[in-house]
Amino acid sequence: MRPLFLTVVCFLFLSTTPALAATCGNGPNGFEAWKQDFIANSKRYGLKQRTVNSALQNVKYNSKVIRLDRNQKSFKLSFQQFYAKRVNNAMIRRGQKLGKTYARLFSRIEKKYGVPAPVILAIWGLETNYGGYLGNMPVLQSLATLAYDCRRSKFFTNELVNALKIVQRRDMTPGEMRGAWAGEIGQTQFLASSYMKYAVDYDRDGRRDLIRSVPDVLASTANYLQKKGWRRGQPWGPGTANYRVIREWNRASVYVQTISVMADKIAN
């Protein structure tokens, strides 16, 4: 029997969103029924039921995603430990080289959004080693699993809905949507909700492609920071307004500090 406090938590999640299913869950049992109920209620989210059914029909509960969700140890490290684990001199040099390779693109982006190249390069490098590893887990399967799971059901239900809206807009097919275990997409690892709000079609090919289009990736990252309050021409170190904007990218203090320091090193 599910403990009473979990039943209460699930009720609170579901009372603030359109009906999905009778309950969330803490294991594979009940996932398929939850999924079918989500599909049946998809119109309440502005989704086409046929699109959702096609996108989710082969999606299964993924126990690996739950294990990874429960085992996030990196953010418990000190800054020195985290930085040493995630950044090295080769990454800094590559960031500087890419800054030169895409100098004209970065110049146009900074002119439009106000965000300088070193900050975008630091995020790009830290998230996926400049597009070198985007993750290979099916985004819709990860998000459906986490939406069903009781721990953060409301949050990930919203991400699942937004991921399906990306499919519905034809920016990406379900098969193309592969990423990190928590459903992050593309070379700077946008959550689906951020993708819907901040991704831009900078290369004007009719799609917001954060997987293959470097112009879309870099401009979308700058657009995100601008919309969060980035102050043009201002520093980004600790105690500044722009440092607080970087915190909007990732709330973990070690991550924010790493982006700031990495950007300084790339700039120098």
Side-chain angles (χ1 to χ4, degrees), residues 175-203:
E176 290 172 324
M177 296 181 74
R178 303 186 76 84
W181 66 265
E184 299 94 335
I185 303 167
Q187 295 191 35
T188 53
Q189 298 287 275
F190 271 42
L191 289 170
S193 58
S194 293
Y195 192 114
M196 288 298 296
K197 291 177 183 177
Y198 307 112
V200 296
D201 178 19
Y202 198 75
D203 62 12

Side-chain angles (χ1 to χ4, degrees), residues 133-249:
Y133 184 70
L134 279 63
N136 197 36
M137 298 184 72
V139 166
L140 293 176
Q141 179 167 272
S142 294
L143 292 179
T145 299
L146 292 165
Y148 169 68
D149 183 61
C150 286
R151 193 168 88 88
R152 290 187 286 171
S153 180
K154 181 181 177 181
F155 177 86
F156 282 107
T157 295
N158 181 58
E159 295 304 325
L160 176 61
V161 168
N162 278 284
L164 290 164
K165 287 181 178 179
I166 293 170
V167 174
Q168 190 164 280
R169 285 173 54 99
R170 299 185 179 179
D171 281 338
M172 287 189 287
T173 66
E176 290 172 324
M177 296 181 74
R178 303 186 76 84
W181 66 265
E184 299 94 335
I185 303 167
Q187 295 191 35
T188 53
Q189 298 287 275
F190 271 42
L191 289 170
S193 58
S194 293
Y195 192 114
M196 288 298 296
K197 291 177 183 177
Y198 307 112
V200 296
D201 178 19
Y202 198 75
D203 62 12
R204 299 183 180 181
D205 69 348
R207 302 173 65 194
R208 301 179 299 171
D209 186 354
L210 303 191
I211 295 177
R212 290 171 292 270
S213 172
V214 170
D216 287 4
V217 168
L218 303 183
S220 297
T221 305
N223 184 48
Y224 179 100
L225 295 172
Q226 182 203 51
K227 292 295 194 298
K228 294 295 185 179
W230 188 269
R231 297 189 182 182
R232 182 186 297 267
Q234 298 297 308
W236 55 76
T240 66
N242 285 336
Y243 192 83
R244 291 191 291 273
V245 172
I246 297 173
R247 190 176 295 278
E248 293 294 320
W249 184 270

Side-chain angles (χ1 to χ4, degrees), residues 47-112:
L47 296 167
K48 297 177 182 178
Q49 188 170 338
R50 182 172 63 180
T51 299
V52 177
N53 185 60
S54 176
L56 297 184
Q57 61 180 344
N58 295 320
V59 165
K60 306 294 183 184
Y61 182 88
N62 190 335
S63 298
K64 180 181 178 180
V65 170
I66 301 302
R67 289 197 301 273
L68 290 168
D69 181 54
R70 305 295 196 267
N71 193 37
Q72 300 181 62
K73 295 180 179 179
S74 291
F75 296 140
K76 297 179 181 179
L77 301 174
S78 69
F79 164 69
Q80 289 78 12
Q81 291 170 324
F82 184 85
Y83 189 90
K85 183 176 181 179
R86 298 293 296 273
V87 184
N88 54 48
N89 289 334
M91 285 180 67
I92 301 299
R93 290 194 296 270
R94 188 172 180 213
Q96 292 169 335
K97 183 177 180 180
L98 287 168
K100 294 176 181 177
T101 300
Y102 293 107
R104 290 184 179 180
L105 175 60
F106 277 117
S107 179
R108 294 196 302 271
I109 288 172
E110 184 170 3
K111 183 177 180 180
K112 181 171 184 178

